[in-house]
Amino acid sequence: QVQLVESGGGSVQAGGSLRLSCVASGDTDSVKRMGWFRQAPGKEREGVAAITTGGSSTYYADSAKGRFTISQDNAKTPVYLQMNSLKPEDTAMYYCAADTRSWSYGGSWFERREYNRWGQGTQVTVSS
């Protein structure tokens, strides 16, 4: 089993920055990829950024391109989401997710079903 704990959320003004962290524990050798998702009140959870274990490949939703950076030094270190030029529409609960299965659905890296381990979330609030 893999457990995920997020941190780094908070309240900032538009244009500001935050860095989210996700620490994985347990059977971390089973993690193939990790992602950051977010969910605003009344909206579906959506993928923001994803990374293969160790950081060799990264993927971004259109809403994150050019402003957010996902990173991980190696499989044993946290996954970070550096968020710059934040906008009020970035306000949401941000969740870290991990894929530890030996198979996948073969869908988009931003499909929720591609990840089977989830953290509890960290709140990001951006004021105008």
Side-chain angles (χ1 to χ4, degrees):
Q1 294 277 356
V2 171
Q3 295 79 42
L4 304 174
V5 178
E6 306 96 333
S7 63
S11 297
V12 296
Q13 290 191 327
S17 299
L18 284 173
R19 188 176 81 155
L20 307 184
S21 299
C22 175
V23 176
S25 61
D27 185 18
T28 56
D29 288 337
S30 66
V31 177
K32 298 186 307 183
R33 55 183 166 174
M34 295 184 72
W36 283 98
F37 288 70
R38 68 185 183 186
Q39 187 167 18
K43 294 189 176 181
E44 294 288 320
R45 192 172 298 188
E46 63 176 1
V48 175
I51 190 168
T52 49
T53 298
S56 59
S57 297
T58 57
Y59 303 86
Y60 296 94
D62 288 343
S63 60
K65 288 178 182 176
R67 300 189 300 126
F68 295 1
T69 303
I70 189 170
S71 64
Q72 184 187 36
D73 288 339
N74 60 65
K76 302 299 183 183
T77 59
V79 173
Y80 299 102
L81 185 67
Q82 177 67 44
M83 304 187 296
N84 299 326
S85 302
L86 283 162
K87 306 174 182 179
E89 50 264 43
D90 294 318
T91 295
M93 184 71 78
Y94 283 70
Y95 297 91
C96 177
D99 175 13
T100 68
R101 294 176 291 211
S102 59
W103 53 271
S104 77
Y105 287 98
S108 163
W109 279 58
F110 298 132
E111 288 188 26
R112 289 181 61 179
R113 65 176 183 172
E114 296 289 356
Y115 300 85
N116 60 322
R117 294 289 180 261
W118 294 83
Q120 293 301 306
T122 185
Q123 177 68 37
V124 171
T125 302
V126 185
S127 58
S128 58

